[in-house]
Amino acid sequence: MSHFASVARVPGDPILSLMQAYLLDTHPARLDLGVGVYKDAQGLTPIPRAVKLAEQRLVDSELSKTYIGGHGDALFAERLSQLVLGADSPLLAERRAGATQTPGGTGALRLAADFIRHCLPGRGIWLSDPTWPIHETLFAEAGLVVGHYPYVDSNNRLDVEAMIGAFTHLPKGDVVLLHACCHNPTGFDLTQQDFERVLEVVKARELLPLIDFAYQGFGDGLEQDAWAVRLCAAELPELLITSSCSKNFGLYRERTGALIVCAADAEKLVDIRSQLAFIARNLWSTPPAHGAAVVASILGDDELKCLWQEELEDMRLRVASLRRGLVEALAPHGLSQRFAHIAEQRGMFSYTGLSPLQVLRLREAFSIYLVGSGRANVAGLDANRLEYLAAAIAQVCN
Ligand code: LMR
């Protein structure tokens, strides 16, 4: 008897499998706009200097590799919470908010998913249509009932009215996943005014927001990008936030993130954190230490923090200029109007509006890799390749 005979093969991950396909591609002009990693002008995903310096200090000073606790590195948790909620957050002063360190933002999402299933049974979760594909599978795998609210219309434009309309019909008490900034995959963010309208419905329907905050610093700036999170924290008694250090600290493979819970009072937060520690113990036991120690060290040192902020700002500005550059490069092809949204979107990604068939043609004829949904990682672009990309887009659009 074969124990494994009935194990079927499933398709590769829609995003990570692109990395592999790109590496195997020998076309000299290949272009990787798939997975969301930042690349510099040399096409490398750099380790920020602030990270290198912090790592060097850690190597010199680290005395032990023993486990860190279930909630992870306490200094990391404290400093990351301040970065997300604001150094002067009343929630932190009142001990109503606390972070549990997780293996990356994905770990934070999984911890949140399991917390909802264990502790808030019967609550469904609502995702924007579209959203990061792993949101879809992660919550379903955790046993939650997943629903969708509209986010973009058929013309590839943000549809706030449809979103708000859908929210008014959501079951009371359900969870809504919101993207704090730099919406993945679309790059379309709500204005503050529209977000406030959404928040009114969230309150009226007594919905619980789970805010995915994976791109702090890539939209309008480190502090500016936190406004939606901080507004929710100020206006709602309870909130879940997942924070990732993959992109803004360039710590992708170190799997550094946190689930931040805001509770009605300090006593309730202790109850919730006891559950999180239990769930995390059964998922990964204790989180990996290195990335969190690096982040804690940077955020706790004025000089390193300043250096990191400058480096992050350089990345943000470079992506913004690549967005404008691509729209300019499309102009000679008569396509700058059609793709004007690329310059207006925020963060690493652009929902280009290219169809799956056009994405396939880009890949087959030009070795240009986008996610099948038409998402391009603008942060993977190279200023010298904008004309190549624009010409290829023009070809597949004709
Ligand atoms: C992405 O959306 O490309 C990134 O968040 C990386 C990932 O894990 O999918």
Side-chain angles (χ1 to χ4, degrees):
M1 172 180 108
S2 164
H3 293 287
F4 300 146
S6 64
V7 178
R9 190 174 309 179
V10 293
D13 179 85
I15 297 176
L16 295 183
S17 56
L18 288 177
M19 285 176 91
Q20 201 53 32
Y22 172 79
L23 286 177
L24 295 174
D25 193 326
T26 52
H27 194 299
R30 65 188 183 154
L31 196 50
D32 177 14
L33 307 181
V35 69
V37 295
Y38 173 86
K39 292 196 191 137
D40 63 16
Q42 282 71 47
L44 295 172
T45 301
I47 302 173
R49 276 183 302 140
V51 167
K52 270 288 187 203
L53 288 169
E55 286 185 311
Q56 196 55 57
R57 289 185 195 170
L58 270 178
V59 168
D60 294 342
S61 63
E62 195 174 45
L63 296 174
S64 173
K65 293 282 186 192
T66 187
Y67 299 119
I68 53 176
H71 290 288
D73 181 327
L75 272 182
F76 165 79
E78 184 189 320
R79 291 169 184 168
L80 188 74
S81 301
Q82 288 172 354
L83 190 71
V84 169
L85 294 169
D88 54 357
S89 163
L91 279 89
L92 295 173
E94 293 159 19
R95 301 195 173 279
R96 283 178 44 217
T100 297
Q101 188 196 322
T102 56
T106 310
L109 287 163
R110 180 62 199 224
L111 184 60
D114 279 13
F115 169 72
I116 294 164
R117 190 169 61 82
H118 281 288
C119 300
L120 315 175
R123 311 292 183 97
I125 185 158
W126 297 85
L127 312 176
S128 62
D129 179 18
T131 193
W132 184 46
I134 313 312
H135 285 149
E136 306 280 354
T137 47
L138 182 146
F139 291 106
E141 284 294 309
L144 298 186
V145 176
V146 176
H148 299 92
Y149 59 85
Y151 196 73
V152 289
D153 64 19
S154 52
N155 294 320
N156 193 29
R157 292 292 176 276
L158 183 60
D159 194 346
V160 184
E161 298 312 321
M163 176 182 178
I164 293 177
F167 270 40
T168 58
H169 296 109
L170 296 186
K172 278 205 168 183
D174 267 8
V175 182
V176 279
L177 189 137
L178 302 170
H179 300 229
C181 66
C182 310
H183 184 272
N184 181 6
T186 68
F188 289 122
D189 286 343
L190 299 180
T191 61
Q192 191 149 346
Q193 209 175 14
D194 286 335
F195 193 87
E196 280 164 10
R197 291 174 60 209
V198 169
L199 192 53
E200 285 315 305
V201 192
V202 165
K203 285 182 195 166
R205 302 298 302 162
E206 296 177 34
L207 302 169
L208 172 64
L210 163 51
I211 308 187
D212 191 350
F213 200 9
Y215 298 92
Q216 185 174 3
F218 274 91
D220 293 320
L222 198 58
E223 286 292 306
Q224 293 88 328
D225 287 349
W227 67 264
V229 168
R230 294 180 190 173
L231 183 66
C232 286
E235 300 264 322
L236 300 171
E238 295 166 326
L239 190 61
L240 299 170
I241 305 157
T242 56
S243 166
S244 168
C245 303
S246 297
K247 278 84 180 178
N248 52 12
F249 285 88
L251 282 168
Y252 306 86
R253 65 172 64 162
E254 301 298 348
R255 312 309 300 137
T256 309
L259 171 63
I260 301 175
V261 179
C262 305
D265 57 57
E267 197 62 23
K268 186 46 66 188
L269 185 67
V270 176
D271 297 341
I272 295 168
R273 285 172 64 77
S274 72
Q275 293 280 356
L276 295 180
F278 171 80
I279 297 167
R281 176 72 164 141
N282 287 283
L283 285 171
W284 48 74
S285 196
T286 58
H290 182 75
V294 168
V295 170
S297 156
I298 293 173
L299 295 180
D301 181 298
D302 286 344
E303 217 172 297
L304 285 185
K305 188 172 176 191
C306 215
L307 177 60
W308 166 66
Q309 281 178 301
E310 280 170 19
E311 295 183 280
L312 176 56
E313 189 61 3
D314 284 350
M315 290 196 269
R316 185 182 79 80
L317 292 175
R318 182 160 177 278
V319 178
S321 97
L322 287 166
R323 286 183 178 281
R324 292 190 298 273
L326 179 55
V327 178
E328 278 164 27
L330 285 159
H333 303 280
L335 291 173
S336 59
Q337 245 346 76
R338 175 167 167 186
F339 289 101
H341 55 274
I342 295 178
E344 287 148 25
Q345 292 159 329
R346 288 278 179 284
M348 288 183 153
F349 305 117
S350 169
Y351 216 45
T352 56
L354 293 168
S355 69
L357 196 64
Q358 290 167 329
V359 169
L360 191 67
R361 284 186 59 206
L362 279 178
R363 175 171 166 175
E364 285 180 351
F366 302 95
S367 289
I368 296 173
Y369 290 75
L370 269 70
V371 179
S373 61
R375 186 194 85 170
N377 172 34
V378 184
L381 268 172
D382 172 350
N384 298 319
R385 310 289 309 286
L386 295 177
E387 272 78 32
Y388 175 69
L389 175 61
I393 291 176
Q395 290 251 353
V396 302
C397 285
N398 286 325

